[in-house]
Amino acid sequence: MRSEEAKCGKQQAPGRSLYNALGYTKEELDRPIVAVVCSYNEIVPGHMNLDKIAEAVKMGIAMSGGTPVMFPAIAVCDGIAMGHVGMKYSLVTRDLIADSTECMMEAHRFDAMVCIPNCDKNVPGLLMAAARVNVPTVFVSGGPMLAGRVDGKKTSLSSLFEAVGAEAAGKITLEKLTEFENKACPTCGSCSGMYTANSMNCLTEAIGMGLKGNGTIPAVYSERIRLAKHAGMKVMELLEKNIRPRDILTKDAFINALTVDMALGCSTNTMLHIPAIAHECGIDLDISVCNELSAKTPNLCHLAPAGHTYMEELNEAGGVYAVMHELDKKGLLKTDLITATGKTVAENIAGCEILNKEVIRPLDDPYSEVGGIAVLSGNIAPDTCVVKRSAVVDEMLVHSGPARVFDCEEDAIAAIKGGKIVEGDVVVIRYEGPKGGPGMREMLNPTSAIAGMGLGSSVALITDGRFSGASRGASIGHVSPEAAVGGPIAFIEEGDIIDIDIPAHKINARISDEEMAARKAKWQPKEPKITSGYLKRYTAMVTSGNRGAVLEVK
């Protein structure tokens, strides 16, 4: 055991003395020492219940012969950080979480680990750490929020963001906006649609690192406490069998996750996080493979913001395993892979039938014959960009219009809310990528303003930034290379005609190669927006969105 390095032998008497100072008994030190990495805090609604999850995990570990030891991981609430400088500090926490967890695990030589994330960056950050440290690990999230209700209809955070745009356009009253504010988020948990947090927690099941229900059991259900206890028990079984993350996180497992992603209609942020996790496993995962997977994987779910069902309904309909069982009927998954249950994918999903065929459509009646995400390329994005195809209305799958160019999110929002964006426009927001932002802000405010003002079926938005999973419409992000490094999006000018063809995976400006080259020759890099602190270091190390915005030492 790794912990023996820190607690056994004469030379480790000082270390044992410090364990004594912590109140640990000899009987506890004779057992495996298991880390419980808990993202509890009092600023993120999805994390306010994680202290209870952690206590349940610790009980499960102790019941199965281990000694649990908890330490924290940070978390940012994207909704609270949205629309101001705080959003620059969201994506970057993924790497802080991975780095700090690795440091704690290696410094104290824990034998195994249970990770308790919930919201957007904690899940991928802790998966990256698990891949690095490679000790037996199980994930158990805090669970999704229940949907709110306004006027007798279920609603969620994305509805509230759109209500802001609707109020600005005079479509609803301030009183109705306040009603949305008070009712959209009624419980603790990760926001109730298929946004990034729930996407990543569901994909943790699909990739084999979480137990059944990890992504879908609502935060307020006692079933989640039982799940947490079982996660604590299960990690001890994995320790005994020596099943480690890199045994689970294989190339085939990542392809399984991307396939399930297509069926569920997950957030485009998965196109950042899945390659980043794969990178930690030494696997080069080109996101262009998603088009091949999408072509043969039907979209079976339309959860908010794409549709009007929510995570609680996905749970009741059979959850992720039911989706996987349906996909397996078409041979779309590799099912002989080992998982954190100690069993194979095939054993996990056996008998997991769909219980509500409106929430999870069967293969012969999908929402779409193709998957939920499309990867586009063209002279604006030679290294690709991504769109949540399942959340795009049919009339916007192919669109041409004049570019309305903005060099930051704030200017775009002012133009949208000021009525300066009209039907047919293509809003271009640049210098918001990993380096240019810095931090690749989510663009939920402009996309919600477009939708709320009734322009969602006539206006497209493209950016080298990214989108919340709560965004819908023709919202095309992760344009690579980004403007800050001289990507072609930097050379787009006001009025250029942009052609978008999502089914053909193309996005181009009607600019000749010669004109593009001439504009590039005149281009000058912009001064960095932030030149101190963590973001200064992040800017120097971060790569493009198409590579998962991973950090590299030059």
Side-chain angles (χ1 to χ4, degrees):
M1 290 190 295
R2 287 163 40 112
S3 63
E4 289 178 352
E5 300 170 36
K7 67 184 183 183
C8 295
K10 296 177 182 178
Q11 73 281 2
Q12 290 308 123
R16 289 194 297 277
S17 177
L18 295 171
Y19 274 115
N20 290 340
L22 289 163
Y24 289 104
T25 65
K26 180 180 184 304
E27 290 80 4
E28 288 173 298
L29 295 183
D30 286 342
R31 297 177 168 195
I33 309 296
V34 181
V36 178
V37 188
C38 181
S39 303
Y40 168 78
N41 65 38
E42 295 181 341
I43 191 62
V44 184
H47 292 234
M48 63 183 286
N49 64 320
L50 297 191
D51 55 339
K52 297 175 179 61
I53 300 294
E55 288 304 315
V57 167
K58 290 166 69 176
M59 181 173 291
I61 292 168
M63 287 166 59
S64 297
T67 297
V69 178
M70 185 169 66
F71 66 81
I74 63 168
V76 163
C77 178
D78 280 10
I80 294 174
M82 193 73 67
H84 51 83
V85 70
M87 182 46 70
K88 296 178 185 289
Y89 288 88
S90 173
L91 177 61
V92 306
T93 64
R94 184 187 71 183
D95 298 275
L96 284 171
I97 292 161
D99 292 347
S100 58
T101 302
E102 175 194 1
C103 289
M104 288 293 288
M105 289 296 296
E106 297 294 16
H108 301 101
R109 310 308 292 155
F110 291 102
D111 297 305
M113 175 167 65
V114 177
C115 293
I116 310 175
N118 209 25
C119 292
D120 295 26
K121 312 310 164 309
N122 297 81
V123 187
L126 289 173
L127 282 166
M128 291 163 68
R132 290 183 196 175
V133 178
N134 202 35
V135 300
T137 300
V138 176
F139 274 65
V140 56
S141 76
M145 183 184 292
L146 294 179
R149 284 187 180 272
V150 175
D151 297 329
K153 296 180 180 179
K154 288 187 176 182
T155 189
S156 62
L157 186 66
S158 58
S159 304
L160 179 53
F161 273 94
E162 292 182 15
V164 173
E167 193 277 334
K171 294 179 179 294
I172 64 171
T173 64
L174 181 60
E175 289 74 20
K176 178 58 69 174
L177 175 61
T178 302
E179 183 181 357
F180 270 99
E181 177 183 334
N182 290 327
K183 294 180 177 178
C185 299
T187 71
C188 64
S190 48
C191 297
S192 55
M194 188 55 79
Y195 311 146
T196 306
N198 291 327
S199 295
M200 289 306 303
N201 283 321
C202 286
L203 294 186
T204 300
E205 283 188 64
I207 210 167
M209 290 295 292
L211 307 184
K212 180 182 180 182
N214 178 66
T216 60
I217 298 169
V220 295
Y221 285 13
S222 297
E223 184 182 358
R224 184 154 290 277
I225 299 295
R226 297 196 296 273
L227 178 72
K229 291 175 183 176
H230 283 128
M233 297 177 204
K234 186 60 66 174
V235 79
M236 297 305 296
E237 179 186 328
L238 297 185
L239 180 60
E240 181 181 353
K241 294 179 177 178
N242 196 30
I243 298 174
R244 299 166 181 254
R246 290 204 185 190
D247 299 323
I248 298 167
L249 297 173
T250 62
K251 180 71 173 286
D252 285 338
F254 285 107
I255 297 300
N256 275 359
L258 292 174
T259 300
V260 175
D261 190 325
M262 297 300 135
L264 286 173
C266 291
S267 163
T268 51
N269 280 317
T270 62
M271 298 296 104
L272 288 173
H273 300 322
I274 295 296
I277 300 160
H279 177 76
E280 297 293 347
C281 298
I283 298 169
D284 184 13
L285 194 65
D286 184 347
I287 61 168
S288 295
V289 72
C290 290
N291 288 336
E292 177 186 338
L293 297 174
S294 178
K296 58 186 180 183
T297 307
N299 178 224
L300 304 181
C301 300
H302 257 197
L303 282 82
H308 300 288
T309 53
Y310 295 85
M311 294 303 297
E312 61 206 72
E313 289 155 301
L314 178 60
N315 186 63
E316 292 163 7
V320 176
Y321 277 15
V323 174
M324 295 175 73
H325 184 263
E326 190 68 13
L327 294 175
D328 188 45
K329 293 177 182 178
K330 196 176 177 181
L332 294 173
L333 300 176
K334 291 282 287 186
T335 60
D336 59 347
L337 310 179
I338 194 66
T339 72
T341 66
K343 300 176 181 178
T344 65
V345 173
E347 291 173 305
N348 289 342
I349 65 176
C352 295
E353 299 288 348
I354 297 171
L355 303 178
N356 183 329
K357 293 185 178 181
E358 281 303 306
V359 178
I360 305 172
R361 291 278 186 88
L363 288 170
D364 59 5
D365 184 30
Y367 282 101
S368 169
E369 294 290 345
V370 295
I373 289 179
V375 178
L376 316 183
S377 62
N379 67 355
I380 295 176
D383 290 345
T384 72
C385 54
V386 299
V387 62
K388 188 171 182 175
R389 177 178 177 152
S390 61
V392 180
V393 294
D394 289 345
E395 53 265 41
M396 288 299 292
L397 291 173
V398 178
H399 178 78
S400 296
R404 306 298 309 280
V405 182
F406 305 94
D407 286 351
C408 68
E409 177 189 5
E410 288 82 357
D411 291 349
I413 293 172
I416 295 165
K417 291 187 175 179
K420 296 178 181 178
I421 302 302
V422 299
E423 290 186 8
D425 283 348
V426 178
V427 176
V428 178
I429 305 178
R430 60 193 181 190
Y431 295 100
E432 290 285 7
K435 286 184 181 291
M440 204 177 188
R441 287 194 287 183
E442 288 185 340
M443 301 290 159
L444 182 55
N445 277 340
T447 60
S448 298
I450 287 170
M453 297 182 77
L455 297 171
S457 60
S458 60
V459 170
L461 190 154
I462 67 173
T463 180
D464 52 9
R466 62 194 179 94
F467 296 108
S468 164
S471 291
R472 62 185 177 97
S475 304
I476 300 167
H478 310 189
V479 170
S480 301
E482 63 175 293
V485 299
I489 192 173
F491 316 139
I492 302 302
E493 296 180 357
E494 187 82 7
D496 285 343
I497 300 300
I498 308 294
D499 296 318
I500 299 165
D501 190 336
I502 293 172
H505 307 125
K506 295 296 182 185
I507 182 167
N508 287 287
R510 294 183 195 171
I511 304 170
S512 68
D513 292 345
E514 292 77 14
E515 174 62 16
M516 190 72 86
R519 293 182 185 183
K520 182 176 182 178
K522 294 187 293 184
W523 176 78
Q524 294 293 322
K526 289 184 177 291
E527 290 295 317
K529 294 177 183 175
I530 295 180
T531 57
S532 63
Y534 178 62
L535 287 182
K536 178 181 179 180
R537 283 179 282 145
Y538 183 86
T539 301
M541 298 173 68
V542 71
T543 61
S544 293
N546 69 301
R547 296 184 56 200
V550 299
L551 303 186
E552 287 187 344
V553 178
K554 298 291 187 289

